Amino acid sequence: SGAAYYLTGTSAFTFVGSTVTCTTTYPHGLSAGSLIFITGTTGPSTATQINGSQIVATVPTATTFTFTNVNGTPSTISKFG
């Protein structure tokens, strides 16, 4: 079974193109290649949301990781909760 990381808002996510960076409050313990599942975000369309299965691409620090959004480039990450 997996671990859950609760984030406080969309400020936890930033993106450039389809690469999304997530910042956690505490060390996440993930590594490149880890499978993650995002829920609770919304965008203007499902095609641009980041919800769903994603694969961690890089782990720059103990509290950040990146992934390439399988749904393409998000236009916004407008809600989390």
Side-chain angles (χ1 to χ4, degrees):
S1 90
Y5 300 98
Y6 296 97
L7 307 171
T8 58
T10 54
S11 61
F13 296 104
T14 59
F15 63 92
V16 175
S18 61
T19 300
V20 179
T21 299
C22 179
T23 301
T24 60
T25 304
Y26 302 103
H28 49 67
L30 297 170
S31 59
S34 295
L35 179 65
I36 58 172
F37 193 85
I38 308 270
T39 63
T41 64
T42 60
S45 72
T46 24
T48 59
Q49 290 180 10
I50 62 171
N51 290 336
S53 296
Q54 307 280 355
I55 297 173
V56 173
T58 65
V59 180
T61 71
T63 57
T64 60
F65 62 89
T66 70
F67 60 91
T68 301
N69 185 22
V70 297
N71 297 316
T73 300
S75 54
T76 62
I77 301 173
S78 58
K79 180 182 176 189
F80 188 85

